[in-house]
């Protein structure tokens, strides 16, 4: 164990320390967290329509077999409730890239002790500066009666959702960094002390903000005249789609979760450290699924951001809810059982710090192997039964990460009982994996007492 700890400390800790303190990665993580309320609300609105309200939804198809419901309730839902949920989805998930951009830019500016709101607004203006100004597929009529494809002034709202997340995230980072850099150089308009602070702050942002917008205007014209493709479309084809294709390999996901588990074992918050990579590769896939279902289509991607939470981490990182269950059944150590009593309630809601730091699991040789291998094993099995065997439906609803296991699988798939069965089976498997090590801990406890 000493050799393992020494190796982790020598090779992994420096990398982890860099990631943990890297402002741009933290800004990406916090930007996604900031947008969580918006994206989750949109996903829940979509779920309400596709699980309960629509006539062909999971619940609606059964309720509409009742004549009174079909004749009295369903018309009301169709006229009022379904459009309201659709409007909420349009105002959240359909334009989510805007909220992510604002969150990323704000976080980066605040981490540099700069004006977060000012940086976020300049980032938003930079985004629209490079955004396509013409909606292709729309034909405008000229004075001579001819029609030209592309109507100026009709912004393609369809490019403000998940398909623009990479470009929005990048613009938010670059614009905020430029704003911060120009401000730190002192390229600001300084007002007299008697001027109100709000006015002084606004004038101070004029030069940094203006220079940032000039740079993005030049970038927009480079893409329009030289690349012949809008920046957003170019990013989608050259960066986002290849990254998502890489992410749909289960080996990529397993590798990221494996690294997160190693970091946790060292006492670092592994989930936070790999979160930027997970969001970059898998949040888009989840939102694409949400949007597809909202439009009455089938979800597209098997591996999404919440895939690991739903199937491979019941109780939190390391499948520690399974450990708690194994302790209740097989542990003979009184201190472990007492801790399990305290940890069971938060564990049901995916909060496992009491177990990780209280048992502890951190740098505990007895629990190293199951803590590291259980999530990757569960993730691989879930992928097989979702993608290859097609037993469970794809995840298409974003739920709070604190949603209890099994329930999250049912609602995350818009009401698929088979997904809940798969999640329950993986929880049982996790208990089986943890059990020999809990029994081994009993023997170690006996030897320590002797």
């Amino acid at each position: 164990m000493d050799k393992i700890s020494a190796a982790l400390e020598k090779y992994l800790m420096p990398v982890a320390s860099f990631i943990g303190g890297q402002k741009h990665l933290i800004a990406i993580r916090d930007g996604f967290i900031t947008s969580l309320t918006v994206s989750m609300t949109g996903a829940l609105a979509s779920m309400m329509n596709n699980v309960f309200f629509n006539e062909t939804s999971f619940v609606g198809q059964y309720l509409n077999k009742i004549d009174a419901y079909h004749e009295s309730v369903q018309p009301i839902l169709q006229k009022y409730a379904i459009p309201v949920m659709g409007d909420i989805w349009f105002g959240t998930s359909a334009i989510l890239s805007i909220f992510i951009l604002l969150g990323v830019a704000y976080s980066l500016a605040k981490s540099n002790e700069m004006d977060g709101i000012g940086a976020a607004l300049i980032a938003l203006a930079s985004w629209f500066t490079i955004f396509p100004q013409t909606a292709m597929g729309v034909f405008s009529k000229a004075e001579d009666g001819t029609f030209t494809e592309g109507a100026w002034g009709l912004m393609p709202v369809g490019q403000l959702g998940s398909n623009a997340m990479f470009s929005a995230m990048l613009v938010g980072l670059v614009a905020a960094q430029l704003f911060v850099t120009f401000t730190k150089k002192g390229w600001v308009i300084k007002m007299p002390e008697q001027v109100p602070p709000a006015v002084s702050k606004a004038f101070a942002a004029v030069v940094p903000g203006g220079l940032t917008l000039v740079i993005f205007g030049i970038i927009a014209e480079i893409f329009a005249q030289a690349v012949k493709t809008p920046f957003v479309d170019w990013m989608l084809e050259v960066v986002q789609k290849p990254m998502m294709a890489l992410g749909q390999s289960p080996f990529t996901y397993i590798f990221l979760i494996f690294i997160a588990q190693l970091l946790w074992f060292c006492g670092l918050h592994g989930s936070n450290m790999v979160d930027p990579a997970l969001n970059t590769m898998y949040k888009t896939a989840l939102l694409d699924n949400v949007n597809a279902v909202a439009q009455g289509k089938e979800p597209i991607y098997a591996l999404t951001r919440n895939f690991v939470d739903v199937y491979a981490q019941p109780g939190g990182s390391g499948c520690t809810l399974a450990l708690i269950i194994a302790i209740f059944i097989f542990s003979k150590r009184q201190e472990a059982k007492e801790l399990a009593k305290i940890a069971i309630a938060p564990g049901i809601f995916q909060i496992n710090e009491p177990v990780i730091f209280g048992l502890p699991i951190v740098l505990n040789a007895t629990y190293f192997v199951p803590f590291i291998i259980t999530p990757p094993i569960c993730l691989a099995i879930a992928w097989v039964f979702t993608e290859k065997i097609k037993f469970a439906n794809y995840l298409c609803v974003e739920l709070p990460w604190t949603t209890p296991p099994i329930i999250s699988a049912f609602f995350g798939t818009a009401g698929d009982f088979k997904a809940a069965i798969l999640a329950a089976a993986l929880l049982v498997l996790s208990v089986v994996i943890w059990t020999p090590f809990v029994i081994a801990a009993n023997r170690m406890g006996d030897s320590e007492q002797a």
Side-chain angles (χ1 to χ4, degrees):
M1 182 61 205
D2 291 338
K3 291 183 178 180
I4 294 175
S5 298
L8 291 175
E9 185 175 353
K10 181 179 180 180
Y11 298 108
L12 194 60
M13 291 293 285
V15 177
S17 298
F18 170 78
I19 294 174
Q22 220 290 320
K23 292 181 179 180
H24 298 86
L25 294 178
I26 293 173
I28 293 173
R29 183 198 69 196
D30 292 348
F32 278 100
I33 293 174
T34 302
S35 67
L36 186 62
T37 301
V38 174
S39 63
M40 195 174 296
T41 302
L44 291 174
S46 176
M47 183 190 74
M48 293 302 295
N49 275 349
N50 291 282
V51 175
F52 300 103
F53 294 162
N54 283 331
E55 190 170 353
T56 57
S57 65
F58 175 77
V59 175
Q61 62 182 327
Y62 297 104
L63 293 175
N64 275 277
K65 292 180 180 180
I66 304 172
D67 291 339
Y69 183 92
H70 180 71
E71 294 173 1
S72 302
V73 178
Q74 187 61 41
I76 296 175
L77 295 177
Q78 201 72 34
K79 186 174 182 180
Y80 300 107
I82 293 176
V84 168
M85 295 299 106
D87 291 340
I88 293 173
W89 168 82
F90 184 81
T92 53
S93 298
I95 56 172
L96 187 63
S97 64
I98 293 177
F99 304 109
I100 291 174
L101 176 141
L102 291 171
V104 167
Y106 179 87
S107 175
L108 184 58
K110 294 298 289 184
S111 68
N112 285 278
E113 300 180 349
M114 294 291 172
D115 180 12
I117 296 297
L121 292 177
I122 290 300
L124 181 61
S126 301
W127 170 247
F128 285 117
T129 298
I130 65 168
F131 202 76
Q133 300 178 16
T134 302
M136 302 308 293
V138 179
F139 291 85
S140 57
K141 187 177 181 181
E143 293 182 0
D144 59 1
T146 61
F147 287 88
T148 305
E149 184 178 10
W152 182 88
L154 297 179
M155 300 187 68
V157 178
Q159 292 184 344
L160 290 173
S162 57
N163 58 353
M165 280 180 56
F166 276 62
S167 50
M169 184 175 63
L170 180 61
V171 169
L173 284 174
V174 174
Q177 184 60 60
L178 289 172
F179 181 85
V180 167
T181 300
F182 295 147
T183 303
K184 284 186 174 181
K185 286 183 177 294
W187 298 352
V188 298
I189 299 175
K190 296 181 179 180
M191 303 297 289
E193 293 183 1
Q194 60 268 28
V195 175
V199 177
S200 295
K201 185 181 292 188
F203 272 93
V206 170
V207 174
L211 290 174
T212 301
L213 292 173
V214 168
I215 291 173
F216 275 94
I218 293 171
I219 293 173
E221 288 308 306
I222 289 173
F223 276 89
Q225 299 184 31
V227 183
K228 302 295 184 183
T229 303
F231 175 79
V232 176
D233 295 338
W234 184 85
M235 281 289 294
L236 177 64
E237 295 297 327
V238 176
V239 180
Q240 183 165 324
K241 286 185 177 180
M243 285 286 288
M244 291 183 65
L246 175 64
Q248 287 306 302
S249 166
F251 299 106
T252 304
Y253 214 148
I254 289 171
F255 174 76
L256 292 172
I257 297 306
F258 179 77
I259 294 298
Q261 295 305 114
L262 284 177
L263 292 169
W264 269 116
F265 186 76
C266 294
L268 302 170
H269 201 301
S271 299
N272 279 353
M273 290 186 173
V274 301
D275 204 43
L278 291 176
N279 281 328
T280 300
M281 289 186 175
Y282 300 106
K283 186 67 176 262
T284 303
L286 174 60
L287 295 174
D288 281 348
N289 285 359
V290 170
N291 294 339
V293 170
Q295 297 171 38
K297 303 175 183 177
E298 292 295 321
I300 306 164
Y301 298 104
L303 295 177
T304 59
R305 177 61 186 87
N306 56 349
F307 192 89
V308 64
D309 300 319
V310 169
Y311 293 119
Q313 290 183 342
S317 298
C319 305
T320 49
L321 182 60
L323 169 60
I324 294 171
I325 295 171
I327 288 174
F328 278 129
I329 300 173
F330 298 103
S331 180
K332 296 179 181 179
R333 303 181 67 171
Q334 189 60 34
E335 71 276 14
K337 287 194 172 185
E338 291 300 321
L339 178 69
K341 292 177 183 178
I342 297 172
I344 184 65
I348 290 173
F349 295 96
Q350 304 286 79
I351 300 169
N352 67 344
E353 279 81 358
V355 179
I356 289 179
F357 298 107
L359 193 59
I361 292 176
V362 172
L363 297 178
N364 187 332
T366 305
Y367 294 133
F368 174 75
V369 172
F371 185 73
I372 296 297
I373 69 169
T374 305
I377 290 173
C378 290
L379 194 150
I381 294 173
W383 177 79
V384 169
F385 277 85
T386 302
E387 177 66 14
K388 295 299 182 182
I389 299 179
K390 304 292 185 182
F391 176 77
N393 292 339
Y394 290 172
L395 292 167
C396 57
V397 177
E398 184 173 15
L399 299 170
W401 63 270
T402 52
T403 305
I406 304 174
I407 295 174
S408 62
F410 177 77
F411 286 106
T413 52
D416 181 18
F417 277 115
K418 293 180 292 184
I421 293 171
L422 175 59
L426 291 172
L427 176 58
V428 173
L429 174 63
S430 301
V431 175
V432 172
I433 294 174
W434 274 105
T435 295
F437 299 91
V438 171
I439 295 174
N442 292 336
R443 293 196 294 268
M444 292 184 67
D446 293 339
S447 64
E448 289 173 359
Q449 291 175 3

